Amino acid sequence: MLISNARPWAGEPSDILIENGKIASITAHDPNRSLEDADVDGRGRILIPSFSDVHVHLDSTRIGLPFREHTGRPGVWGMMSNDRENWRDAEIGLTERVAGTLERMIARGTTRVRSFAQVDVDTKLEKYEAVIAAKEKFANEAEVQVMVFPQAGILLEPGTEKYLEDALKAGADVMGGIDPCELDRDPVRHLDVVFGLAEKYQVEVDIHLHEHGTQGVFSADLIAERTRALGMQGKVNLSHAYELGSVNEATTRRLIDTFAELDISLTSVAPSTSNHLPLVQLTEAGVRFGLGEDGQRDYWSPYGNCDLLDRTWQLAFVNGFRKDELIEHALAVATIGGASIMSHEVPRLASVADRPGVAVGDCADLVLVDGETIASTVMDRGTDRTVIHDGRVVADGLKVLSVQESY
């Protein structure tokens, strides 16, 4: 496939040849080349790696359904209970709305996804199976990892552990955990189950950490100890962890150094808090960092629209980024940053100036977007997009193409 007149990372106009799912060559754009010789007319648009949404709850989505009054109650348990009370009564079935949400994400440029699938005594494997069905439906358009997630904790309701193991037996990619101290109130037993099942089924670990202050740091330290003791470097991720920077500078520095040493990655949904660990310091230390949209207009919140470029703007905004280099770094996090968490064959970002993903030899998972510069693209978030996955155009103009239409 030949892409004519595109600007990799907003650089010079180029012609990009793709062969066998990888970028084979990048040459200066030939204005005399006939458009009939090109498969994709870049029209001077910017070429970037496709987006990687590495923290999304496809299983609780209400994307495409009418807005409803928010009825959630404070705290993880209150919000989770509200979801339990309502998710079965949506206007269309779960499998259909999960698939529709994933389709909308792909259309906007996301071709790498790590989705949570709630498993507990209420949902059993119903939500997990709906996410798996969407993964299989769009197997040619996106890479999807599914994380078995104990949203209601592991120890609070007898039988939860069995359902978690059933999902892992069925092929879940990642083992989840949540707030070992705050929710289950027994961090040792909670982490025994999380890491025990991860070891048994040889999967990675991804733990939601909403805990504040020293409690959050205590849980993070326990997770780091397990990672070191079990030799799971590079196989553990902390989601949210938005209060780990709230104690003091020495603790912040120690945590960053520990995460870098053990290759513990972090994923954020760009919340409105100033207590998160500083993104620039994390990157400079070599900590993998990814971005996600969290819930998608669900029973937890009305936010989320399947567009990770919107969430990239939010990541830059909540971090107070104004310099072009830092806004561009936010986009690098939203693309290759997340990709490096899903696969360690993708190198982590080396610095805030690193712009990988569109060089010769890179996988052809790409998005053409309109814009003058990367910073303007993040600010304006235009809709003139062409999405490429594994060397094929899979979406154009915010519409996912059928297998017959893709090229």
Side-chain angles (χ1 to χ4, degrees):
M1 181 172 70
L2 180 65
I3 305 171
S4 174
N5 190 20
R7 295 183 293 133
W9 279 109
E12 294 300 314
S14 304
D15 296 332
I16 298 95
L17 179 64
I18 295 172
E19 294 178 343
N20 300 317
K22 293 185 180 295
I23 298 174
S25 68
I26 301 175
T27 57
H29 171 55
D30 180 1
N32 297 316
R33 185 195 300 271
S34 170
L35 284 178
E36 294 179 358
D37 296 333
D39 299 287
V40 178
D41 183 2
R43 303 196 309 278
R45 287 176 292 171
I46 294 172
L47 184 71
I48 59 173
S50 59
F51 295 106
S52 305
D53 191 324
V54 287
H55 185 115
V56 63
H57 295 263
L58 285 174
D59 61 331
S60 63
T61 178
R62 281 188 55 86
I63 286 289
L65 301 184
F67 264 94
R68 65 184 296 280
E69 179 185 5
H70 177 63
T71 54
R73 299 177 289 279
V76 171
W77 188 263
M79 298 293 283
M80 187 279 303
S81 297
N82 179 61
D83 180 89
R84 276 189 176 182
E85 293 160 8
N86 291 285
W87 71 271
R88 288 186 174 89
D89 299 326
E91 292 83 346
I92 63 174
L94 180 64
T95 299
E96 183 180 351
R97 62 183 189 266
V98 171
T101 299
L102 179 58
E103 180 176 16
R104 189 175 296 198
M105 292 168 64
I106 295 166
R108 284 150 181 77
T110 296
T111 68
R112 306 178 190 92
V113 178
R114 177 177 280 189
S115 175
F116 305 101
Q118 182 173 332
V119 173
D120 56 30
V121 297
D122 173 66
T123 66
K124 300 181 175 61
L125 298 190
E126 191 170 347
K127 289 190 172 184
Y128 170 78
E129 289 168 350
V131 177
I132 289 293
K135 172 181 178 175
E136 292 174 349
K137 180 175 182 178
F138 292 102
N140 293 320
E141 290 76 30
E143 174 192 356
V144 179
Q145 292 180 350
V146 182
M147 189 193 84
V148 53
F149 182 46
Q151 180 76 77
I154 297 174
L155 310 177
L156 297 176
E157 298 175 309
T160 299
E161 184 177 345
K162 173 190 177 298
Y163 289 115
L164 294 171
E165 184 161 12
D166 287 345
L168 290 167
K169 287 179 181 177
D173 301 291
V174 186
M175 175 63 198
I178 181 171
D179 295 339
C181 294
E182 183 75 20
L183 190 57
D184 267 342
R185 298 182 178 275
D186 191 336
V188 173
R189 286 180 60 207
H190 182 95
L191 295 177
D192 280 346
V193 174
V194 171
F195 281 89
L197 288 174
E199 266 203 303
K200 183 175 180 179
Y201 291 94
Q202 291 297 293
V203 296
E204 297 189 5
V205 167
D206 195 322
I207 298 179
H208 273 53
L209 195 60
H210 309 95
E211 296 168 354
H212 290 211
T214 55
Q215 184 182 64
V217 171
F218 177 70
S219 288
D221 284 338
L222 291 179
I223 292 164
E225 286 177 9
R226 298 274 182 147
T227 303
R228 179 181 283 109
L230 296 172
M232 291 188 67
Q233 291 88 338
K235 296 181 179 180
V236 176
N237 180 73
L238 293 182
S239 288
H240 294 309
Y242 45 64
E243 290 289 331
L244 291 186
S246 65
V247 178
N248 54 52
E249 289 187 13
T251 300
T252 292
R253 186 71 255 171
R254 177 178 65 77
L255 287 172
I256 291 173
D257 290 344
T258 298
F259 295 160
E261 175 201 351
L262 298 175
D263 198 3
I264 293 174
S265 58
L266 298 175
T267 54
S268 174
V269 300
S272 57
T273 175
S274 59
N275 291 330
H276 48 74
L277 296 174
L279 176 53
V280 172
Q281 290 184 39
L282 287 163
T283 302
E284 290 173 344
V287 178
R288 300 175 194 266
F289 195 95
L291 182 65
E293 275 208 272
D294 209 5
Q296 296 283 333
R297 196 172 296 173
D298 56 15
Y299 301 100
W300 290 66
S301 97
Y303 294 93
N305 65 355
C306 301
D307 191 344
L308 207 66
L309 187 54
D310 272 1
R311 194 56 59 104
T312 302
W313 177 94
Q314 186 171 318
L315 179 68
F317 180 79
V318 300
N319 279 279
F321 292 166
R322 296 190 179 188
K323 293 182 178 180
D324 283 15
E325 181 182 64
L326 293 179
I327 294 170
E328 291 175 17
H329 178 57
L331 189 60
V333 165
T335 56
I336 294 299
S340 75
I341 293 174
M342 290 182 63
S343 170
H344 284 198
E345 292 182 4
V346 179
R348 71 189 79 192
L349 295 173
S351 72
V352 295
D354 196 9
R355 304 289 178 263
V358 292
V360 172
D362 286 337
C363 291
D365 284 85
L366 307 163
V367 184
L368 286 159
V369 293
D370 48 337
E372 303 168 60
T373 66
I374 295 295
S376 77
T377 293
V378 174
M379 294 300 111
D380 295 337
R381 304 182 297 288
T383 58
D384 184 5
R385 305 182 198 178
T386 302
V387 184
I388 297 165
H389 174 59
D390 197 25
R392 294 185 307 109
V393 174
V394 297
D396 196 34
L398 303 189
K399 175 182 179 293
V400 173
L401 306 178
S402 68
V403 173
Q404 290 75 23
E405 293 174 312
S406 64
Y407 55 93

